[in-house]
């Protein structure tokens, strides 16, 4: 199993304890030509989480997609992933409707993030708080 991102793959960093995040990851599909999708639980330490933290990206405030050596964060991440997705299936069609443009993602991503935060609070799941952790080394 690969643990290091490379330019030919898509890396989706998500909260493995969040039921909404896990469900999203279960259903998201990317076109084969776009590359292979790797799911990374942000609650597990690793080089990609170190890179995200070093970039000052708060994983509790936005998902991250790494593609072509670039980190996409928050609404940009979900928009990029949506544009790489297959057009088939109800889930991907709905995703394209809500996140397929910068404007739509800018409106719907904060709403979905607020719902996620509410679900975590109700379920008693702590935030990841990657920016509060000591840097490795």
């Amino acid at each position: 199993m690969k643990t290091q991102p490379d330019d030919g793959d898509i890396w989706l960093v998500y909260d493995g304890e969040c039921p909404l995040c896990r469900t999203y990851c279960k259903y998201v599909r990317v076109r084969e030509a776009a590359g292979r999708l790797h799911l990374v639980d942000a609650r597990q330490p690793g080089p990609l989480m170190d890179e995200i933290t070093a970039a000052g990206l708060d994983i509790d405030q936005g998902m991250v997609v790494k593609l072509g050596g670039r980190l996409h964060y928050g609404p940009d991440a979900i928009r990029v992933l949506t544009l790489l997705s297959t057009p088939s299936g109800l889930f991907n069609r709905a995703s394209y409707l809500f996140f397929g443009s910068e404007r739509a993602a800018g409106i719907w991503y904060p709403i979905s993030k607020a719902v996620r935060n509410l679900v975590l609070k109700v379920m008693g799941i702590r935030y990841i708080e990657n920016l509060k952790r000591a840097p490795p080394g």
Side-chain angles (χ1 to χ4, degrees), residues 96-136:
Y96 189 81
L97 177 67
F98 289 103
F99 304 112
S101 71
E102 282 186 46
R103 183 171 185 206
I107 293 168
W108 291 105
Y109 189 82
I111 294 168
S112 62
K113 184 177 72 170
V115 170
R116 173 213 180 246
N117 290 343
L118 178 63
V119 166
L120 292 184
K121 185 172 186 162
V122 168
M123 294 183 73
I125 299 171
R126 296 176 48 151
Y127 287 136
I128 297 168
E129 297 183 332
N130 64 304
L131 296 183
K132 291 183 179 180
R133 293 184 201 149

Side-chain angles (χ1 to χ4, degrees), residues 7-129:
D7 288 342
D9 292 333
I10 304 157
W11 297 80
L12 169 58
V13 183
Y14 73 103
D15 183 350
E17 288 188 24
C18 171
L20 300 175
C21 301
R22 284 194 318 263
T23 300
Y24 177 82
C25 289
K26 180 179 176 181
Y27 290 106
V28 69
R29 300 286 179 266
V30 297
R31 292 185 314 269
E32 195 172 305
R36 182 162 179 229
L37 179 64
H38 300 271
L39 302 177
V40 178
D41 183 349
R43 293 184 183 269
Q44 302 301 316
L48 186 50
M49 274 308 299
D50 292 344
E51 181 180 351
I52 289 166
T53 300
L57 303 177
D58 184 348
I59 199 70
D60 290 313
Q61 297 304 313
M63 69 188 312
V64 174
V65 171
K66 184 166 186 176
L67 173 66
R70 181 173 172 214
L71 296 176
H72 299 270
Y73 180 65
D76 183 46
I78 200 163
R79 183 183 63 80
V80 165
L81 199 55
T82 298
L83 295 175
L84 294 172
S85 296
T86 62
S88 61
L90 181 60
F91 177 82
N92 282 345
R93 286 194 297 266
S95 184
Y96 189 81
L97 177 67
F98 289 103
F99 304 112
S101 71
E102 282 186 46
R103 183 171 185 206
I107 293 168
W108 291 105
Y109 189 82
I111 294 168
S112 62
K113 184 177 72 170
V115 170
R116 173 213 180 246
N117 290 343
L118 178 63
V119 166
L120 292 184
K121 185 172 186 162
V122 168
M123 294 183 73
I125 299 171
R126 296 176 48 151
Y127 287 136
I128 297 168
E129 297 183 332

